[in-house]
Amino acid sequence: MDRTVTDPGNGIKPSESGASAVEKGNAKRSRRGKSRRNGKPRDASVSPQLHNADSRADSTTTGHPERDSEPRKRKRRRRSRGQGGGQASHDGVAGSAVSVGVDASAQPQPSPGKRKSHGGKRSHRGPQGRPLVPTHAPKSSARSSGAASPAHSPSTSDQSGRGHGRAQAHYRETGVDTNADMYAALDLGTNNCRLLIAQPTRPGQFRVVDAFSRIVRLGEGLVTTGRLSDDAMDRAVEALRICASKLAGRSIRRMRLIATEACRQAVNGEEFLSRVTRETGLQLEIISRETEARLAVSGCSSLVGREARSVVLFDIGGGSSEIAVIRVGENRSNRLANHITHWTSLPVGVVTLSERHGGRDVTPDVFAAMVGEVEGLLNSFHCPPLGEDLPHEDFHLIGTSGTVTTLAGVHLDLPRYDRRRVDGLWLSDDEVTAMQDKLLAWDFAGRAANACIGPDRADLVLAGCAILEAIRRRWPARRMRVADRGLREGLLTDMMADDGAWRRNRIRRAQMQGKPERKG
């Protein structure tokens, strides 16, 4: 059966047989017009192209459409009506697909009886009730939450298929609840600039309205100079202008805009944020390392199952790496961050570590040196051991960073990064080791060619693996859970909880349904 494919830019493409679905529909309407005029053809009003499409659409498999004369067509239609063909529209056609939004009863249906064609052969025409568009319409090429585009380009969104410019690939704009409040969270890190705009839904959950992510490498050269470079600041301001335009186009109830390690460390960090305010109107705050650790935990709280008793959550950033040790007792708080017993922030991230040791050509010796540096930093973190005496299901690691999501994408062998398959994925200890060894065996070009890494992260991913390896040696675990979420989600969750957003939603729904609000 011919399939009709809709091209978002050019309308309906012709099927392989040469007749488009629109032409076939016009041809059918033309035939009905002829029968209403007592069989008098209106050839003068039908273009040769459309007339040929009529013949192709209604011809049998004999290959001679000209033999299918108009009197015989009318005879078949009379026979069809006499056999109860008019009732077919109520029962539908078995096996024919109907698009969403298309009424099956409104489509002309074939007769349930057998229909003879010339030479006694049965016609192979497709069902007349098939829709004019395919059942699965192609996705639109334009998405308000971010179509794919090169990194650092002046578009409103960045690449959605690899590296850190991926947020808009998973956080696509959904239907906006005009009655619900909007909240916004912006995270300007050492490597990325990220924005989320969301509305609260069920308690503890929210619907993403808009998202933006771009690699800016704000901390580039910070290790050697102690300052933010002019080029890095220009890239960041350009991305923040886009964020400002997105925020200006929404009615935001509350927002929180934060800056992390790069602005904490740089001697000109405050000066840069003043420039941001002048040029974009956005006022960013530099948060402490402890706040950053708590926000990472809040953003990943839904990935910690009820069976877990101890968890080590880590966020490998561009300029620092936050680690939180979580012990959950019998009385679990609604805020997982309340169960943090120990935390630390290592002054090392994928950007700083790769700049010190080199990220392009990483040999096993260079990798070992990276791991050794991070292990030395961890030795000063005083925390009792975890996991050794716990059952398999009671202790695990949670990783929220581009490093662990990249490992997950490579493990799944994804042709294009897919957040739905990565977020929440479990990896065994052996699988993590195998993925690290695989990446270490690739050269820079091989890493850059991988769809889940790309050239923007090819020189950073092994530095992230080195930090991960040091964490795994300090807290051995049989499994690790991957989180494609982090500070923005934590910011949104905390703002909505502090603002009573979910309670207001519950009251509003109860009022709409005419039910009294439950207390407590």
Side-chain angles (χ1 to χ4, degrees):
M1 182 185 298
D2 296 333
R3 291 193 61 190
T4 303
V5 181
T6 301
D7 182 353
N10 300 309
I12 297 180
K13 292 182 179 179
S15 61
E16 294 180 358
S17 63
S20 71
V22 170
E23 290 175 334
K24 293 179 183 179
N26 290 339
K28 292 169 188 173
R29 288 192 291 271
S30 175
R31 292 195 299 274
R32 287 195 293 270
K34 293 176 186 178
S35 63
R36 285 193 293 268
R37 287 169 171 76
N38 300 322
K40 295 181 180 180
R42 298 189 302 167
D43 291 343
S45 63
V46 180
S47 66
Q49 243 183 348
L50 187 57
H51 191 74
N52 292 338
D54 182 18
S55 302
R56 285 193 297 270
D58 285 336
S59 64
T60 64
T61 57
T62 58
H64 298 283
E66 64 275 5
R67 296 181 184 176
D68 198 7
S69 61
E70 183 62 27
R72 285 173 178 165
K73 295 177 188 175
R74 293 198 302 273
K75 186 176 181 180
R76 284 204 307 273
R77 282 196 290 270
R78 286 195 298 270
R79 185 188 302 120
S80 176
R81 286 194 294 269
Q83 293 175 348
Q87 300 297 324
S89 61
H90 299 285
D91 301 330
V93 180
S96 63
V98 180
S99 298
V100 176
V102 178
D103 186 1
S105 63
Q107 301 286 341
Q109 307 289 341
S111 167
K114 290 186 178 181
R115 180 181 297 169
K116 292 184 179 180
S117 62
H118 306 298
K121 296 182 180 180
R122 186 174 178 174
S123 172
H124 286 266
R125 286 177 57 196
Q128 294 177 347
R130 64 183 174 185
L132 297 183
V133 293
T135 304
H136 303 287
K139 295 179 181 179
S140 173
S141 59
R143 294 192 292 268
S144 59
S145 58
S149 60
H152 311 313
S153 66
S155 65
T156 57
S157 59
D158 272 355
Q159 59 193 71
S160 60
R162 63 173 186 265
H164 282 275
R166 299 185 294 205
Q168 57 282 355
H170 351 294
Y171 288 130
R172 294 189 173 89
E173 182 171 342
T174 57
V176 177
D177 184 351
T178 56
N179 295 317
D181 297 316
M182 290 190 191
Y183 297 79
L186 186 147
D187 169 25
L188 178 61
T190 305
N191 199 44
N192 299 272
C193 177
R194 299 185 178 105
L195 170 72
L196 272 187
I197 302 175
Q199 292 178 310
T201 54
R202 291 178 292 178
Q205 300 182 21
F206 52 80
R207 175 194 300 110
V208 172
V209 174
D210 204 353
F212 173 83
S213 180
R214 173 175 290 186
I215 294 177
V216 295
R217 296 210 179 195
L218 180 61
E220 187 175 56
L222 181 62
V223 173
T224 56
T225 66
R227 298 179 59 86
L228 303 177
S229 68
D230 292 338
D231 290 342
M233 290 189 290
D234 290 343
R235 291 194 298 266
V237 169
E238 181 186 357
L240 289 169
R241 284 197 185 99
I242 298 173
C243 295
S245 66
K246 286 178 173 289
L247 292 170
R250 307 280 185 181
S251 178
I252 307 296
R253 178 180 174 88
R254 284 187 62 181
M255 69 176 73
R256 193 172 180 190
L257 319 176
I258 64 171
T260 56
E261 186 65 17
C263 293
R264 279 196 299 255
Q265 288 287 345
V267 295
N268 59 340
E270 292 286 355
E271 179 185 344
F272 164 68
L273 294 186
S274 298
R275 174 190 169 185
V276 169
T277 302
R278 289 194 309 270
E279 298 188 18
T280 69
L282 301 179
Q283 294 184 347
L284 276 68
E285 60 171 311
I286 300 176
I287 62 172
S288 67
R289 293 186 176 95
E290 180 181 4
T291 300
E292 189 171 353
R294 291 182 65 88
L295 288 173
V297 172
S298 296
C300 301
S301 59
S302 62
L303 295 181
V304 178
R306 291 289 175 180
E307 74 284 354
R309 291 294 174 261
S310 295
V311 173
V312 172
L313 185 145
F314 58 90
D315 181 5
I316 303 174
S320 66
S321 297
E322 280 62 47
I323 302 172
V325 178
I326 305 166
R327 293 181 183 270
V328 183
E330 294 298 328
N331 298 321
R332 177 168 174 170
S333 170
N334 289 332
R335 297 195 181 188
L336 189 64
N338 293 339
H339 295 286
I340 298 176
T341 61
H342 300 77
W343 71 273
T344 188
S345 179
L346 306 180
V348 63
V350 295
V351 175
T352 54
L353 196 62
S354 64
E355 286 186 356
R356 273 199 290 269
H357 295 269
R360 291 182 62 93
D361 302 316
V362 181
T363 65
D365 291 340
V366 172
F367 185 78
M370 290 182 181
V371 175
E373 179 180 340
V374 181
E375 284 184 311
L377 295 171
L378 283 174
N379 288 337
S380 61
F381 176 43
H382 301 290
C383 174
L386 295 173
E388 296 178 354
D389 301 328
L390 294 175
H392 172 53
E393 66 275 5
D394 285 359
F395 170 70
H396 62 86
L397 301 175
I398 291 184
T400 166
S401 66
T403 298
V404 292
T405 56
T406 296
L407 285 175
V410 174
H411 169 71
L412 296 173
D413 196 22
L414 297 178
R416 177 176 177 151
Y417 185 84
D418 186 349
R419 181 184 187 271
R420 294 169 297 180
R421 297 187 61 184
V422 168
D423 187 47
L425 178 71
W426 288 100
L427 292 176
S428 69
D429 186 60
D430 291 340
E431 289 171 338
V432 176
T433 301
M435 289 305 102
Q436 288 186 166
D437 293 342
K438 185 174 184 178
L439 293 183
L440 190 57
W442 289 349
D443 59 7
F444 177 83
R447 298 192 300 271
N450 185 274
C452 293
I453 303 175
D456 293 316
R457 286 192 53 81
D459 61 333
L460 305 177
V461 65
L462 286 177
C465 288
I467 299 173
L468 172 59
E469 178 62 22
I471 293 173
R472 293 171 61 216
R473 292 180 184 180
R474 175 67 185 270
W475 292 281
R478 298 181 184 177
R479 56 182 184 155
M480 178 182 75
R481 197 163 198 189
V482 179
D484 190 346
R485 55 184 77 188
L487 299 185
R488 293 176 303 170
E489 290 81 0
L491 288 167
L492 289 171
T493 300
D494 286 355
M495 278 190 292
M496 292 177 185
D498 293 340
D499 201 36
W502 289 300
R503 175 175 173 79
R504 285 198 307 275
N505 266 11
R506 190 171 69 243
I507 295 174
R508 180 170 60 88
R509 286 195 298 267
Q511 291 173 344
M512 291 175 62
Q513 297 172 0
K515 298 179 181 179
E517 160 65 4
R518 293 186 305 172
K519 296 183 178 180

